[in-house]
């Protein structure tokens, strides 16, 4: 398959949106990570996503939309959803909602579930593609299944060229970590830690979340314990690096790659996946990573690192 590369000019975005409309797969930047999108109402298009990623088909996809009206055509909207949307959308937050019987979303995109994960992205390129193609877009992160998510066009180009119809080479994803996933039923839960801190969501809803993301058995179906994995083995919380290791540091220390010399967790999140990609490109066999503070977006960074280091 020939993969077309687009830039972010208006004529190119229009051509790229034609790929979605005609049932193809298109990688595009969002503020969290690159997404691999297809028309969520077209089952053949959705099947192409699973094929390109080599993804287990039981794993449901996030449905991206540009308006609440669009979401209300297939998901049951609630006052809690409205409160959360007003505060955090467009942005790096995904809500799992009950599916409406009249939904036209392909059951394949939902892995047959009666719930649907929805997100309204803040990135201007993602918004343009959603508006121009005028359909909900199913989009997992644009990486081969189990591998590190892509935060730059070059990560996608090197790993998915020949497997998908198009890639938009836009500015890189600023947040660098996937969206936080919450669900409201049967009780309010955090299914995946991410860019938005759970305490900020708890505050505006006035309730506490159950942290299902910490329970390997009942978190989001896609939260396999080994995930985001570079090829080399990973040693976490390393205060001292060994000679045969490629070192990823945090703070003012000597290391091969530094997530943030200033100990800024936001900067560390934005660098994380790019560094994990670089380790593969370098052929790193042993990797050691400094301790990262378990606070704010550091909770999501540590979650990704534990999965990257998990036995495979
Ligand atoms: O930031 C993001 O969320 C990125 C960008 C592209 O939007 N997308 C992303 O998608 O991370 P993906 O497919 O890599 O992760 C989606 C996660 C999976 O863990 C999946 O199991 C979960 O969402 N999920 C999807 N639908 C669900 C549902 N109905 N109930 C529970 N979890 C669901
Ligand atoms: Mg992913």
């Amino acid at each position: 398959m020939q993969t077309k590369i687009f830039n972010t000019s208006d004529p190119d975005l229009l051509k790229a949106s034609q790929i979605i409309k005609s049932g193809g797969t298109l990688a595009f930047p969002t503020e969290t990570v690159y997404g691999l999108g297809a028309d969520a109402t077209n089952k053949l298009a959705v099947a192409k996503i699973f094929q390109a990623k080599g993804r287990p088909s039981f794993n449901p996809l996030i449905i991206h939309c540009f308006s609440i009206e669009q979401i209300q055509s297939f998901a049951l909207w609630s006052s809690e959803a409205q409160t959360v949307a007003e505060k955090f959308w467009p942005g790096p937050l995904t809500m799992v909602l009950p599916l409406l019987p009249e939904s036209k979303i392909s059951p394949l995109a939902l892995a047959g579930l009666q719930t649907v994960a929805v997100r309204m992205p803040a990135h201007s390129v993602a918004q343009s593609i959603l508006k121009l193609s005028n359909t909900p877009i199913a989009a997992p992160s644009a990486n081969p299944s189990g591998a590190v998510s892509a935060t730059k066009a070059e990560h996608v180009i090197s790993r998915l060229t020949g497997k998908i119809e198009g890639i938009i080479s836009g500015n890189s994803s600023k947040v660098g970590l996937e969206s936080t996933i919450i669900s409201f039923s049967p009780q309010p839960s955090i299914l995946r830690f991410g860019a938005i801190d759970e305490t900020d969501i708890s505050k505006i809803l006035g309730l506490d979340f159950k942290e299902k993301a910490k329970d390997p058995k009942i978190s989001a179906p896609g939260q396999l314990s080994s995930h985001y994995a570079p090829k080399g083995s990973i040693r976490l919380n390393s205060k001292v690096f060994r000679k045969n290791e490629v070192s990823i540091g945090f703070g003012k220390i000597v290391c091969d790659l530094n997530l943030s010399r200033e100990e800024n967790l936001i900067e560390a999140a934005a660098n994380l996946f790019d560094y994990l990609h670089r380790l593969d490109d370098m052929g790193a066999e042993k990797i050691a990573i400094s301790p990262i503070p378990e606070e704010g977006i550091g909770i999501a960074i540590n979650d990704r690192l534990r999965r990257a280091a998990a036995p495979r």
Side-chain angles (χ1 to χ4, degrees), residues 140-151:
S141 49
N143 51 276
S145 190
V148 179
S149 303
T151 52

Side-chain angles (χ1 to χ4, degrees), residues 33 53 55 59 140-144 146-149 178 192 222-223 227-228:
V33 298
K53 282 189 64 111
R55 175 174 223 179
N59 192 355
S141 49
N143 51 276
V148 179
S149 303
E178 298 86 349
R192 178 173 73 184
Q223 292 291 84
H227 202 156
Y228 310 101

Side-chain angles (χ1 to χ4, degrees), residues 19-290:
I19 290 186
I20 299 283
K21 282 188 157 178
S22 61
T25 45
L26 174 74
F28 60 90
T30 85
E31 73 279 21
T32 56
V33 298
Y34 266 70
L36 175 56
D39 179 350
T41 63
N42 177 334
K43 66 178 178 207
L44 289 176
V46 172
K48 288 186 189 169
I49 296 179
F50 288 109
Q51 190 183 21
K53 282 189 64 111
R55 175 174 223 179
S57 52
F58 53 78
N59 192 355
L61 308 177
I62 295 174
I63 310 301
H64 297 69
C65 291
F66 66 82
S67 72
I68 290 173
E69 292 70 47
Q70 198 180 30
I71 293 170
Q72 285 170 330
S73 71
F74 61 85
L76 183 64
W77 198 245
S78 61
S79 60
E80 289 138 318
Q82 181 67 30
T83 307
V84 170
E86 277 169 17
K87 175 81 181 168
F88 298 106
W89 276 358
L93 184 98
T94 296
M95 289 191 247
V96 175
L97 301 173
L99 188 69
L100 292 178
E102 64 268 31
S103 156
K104 300 228 161 42
I105 305 292
S106 154
L108 182 61
L110 308 177
L113 296 176
Q114 291 305 308
T115 55
V116 54
V118 288
R119 174 162 114 77
M120 204 187 286
H123 198 293
S124 62
V125 170
Q127 291 182 348
S128 299
I129 293 299
L130 282 164
K131 286 198 188 118
L132 291 168
S133 52
N134 196 29
T135 184
I137 295 181
S141 49
N143 51 276
S145 190
V148 179
S149 303
T151 52
K152 294 181 171 172
E154 66 211 51
H155 300 152
V156 188
I157 293 170
S158 69
R159 287 162 178 83
L160 292 177
T161 296
K163 297 188 169 157
I164 61 181
E165 273 87 0
I167 299 172
I168 301 180
S169 177
N171 33 5
S172 53
S173 300
K174 281 217 176 59
V175 179
L177 277 184
E178 298 86 349
S179 58
T180 303
I181 305 181
I182 61 171
S183 110
F184 298 110
S185 62
Q187 78 238 90
S189 321
I190 301 279
L191 301 184
R192 178 173 73 184
F193 297 113
I196 289 182
D197 203 330
E198 79 167 272
T199 47
D200 294 337
I201 314 170
S202 300
K203 248 185 248 157
I204 65 144
L205 285 174
L207 48 79
D208 282 334
F209 281 94
K210 193 168 160 28
E211 293 185 343
K212 288 195 178 172
K214 284 201 179 131
D215 185 334
K217 288 194 293 297
I218 50 173
S219 61
Q223 292 291 84
L224 306 176
S225 55
S226 166
H227 202 156
Y228 310 101
K231 298 196 181 87
S233 65
I234 298 186
R235 199 163 62 82
L236 299 177
N237 299 316
S238 311
K239 297 217 172 72
V240 183
F241 301 127
R242 299 172 190 153
K243 276 218 179 77
N244 61 349
E245 291 174 327
V246 179
S247 53
I248 298 194
F250 181 79
K252 291 195 175 59
I253 53 170
V254 179
C255 55
D256 296 309
L257 295 167
N258 202 321
L259 287 166
S260 172
R261 278 187 62 78
E262 306 309 320
E263 303 192 14
N264 177 334
L265 286 168
I266 309 260
E267 183 188 13
N271 283 329
L272 180 67
F273 288 152
D274 183 38
Y275 288 2
L276 295 181
H277 278 278
R278 285 206 225 166
L279 291 167
D280 278 352
D281 295 341
M282 290 156 73
E285 284 174 12
K286 290 184 186 299
I287 302 154
I289 305 185
S290 288

Side-chain angles (χ1 to χ4, degrees), residues 4-17:
K4 291 199 189 93
I5 310 288
F6 300 97
N7 61 39
T8 56
S9 66
D10 287 347
D12 259 37
L13 291 182
L14 189 62
K15 279 186 226 151
S17 69

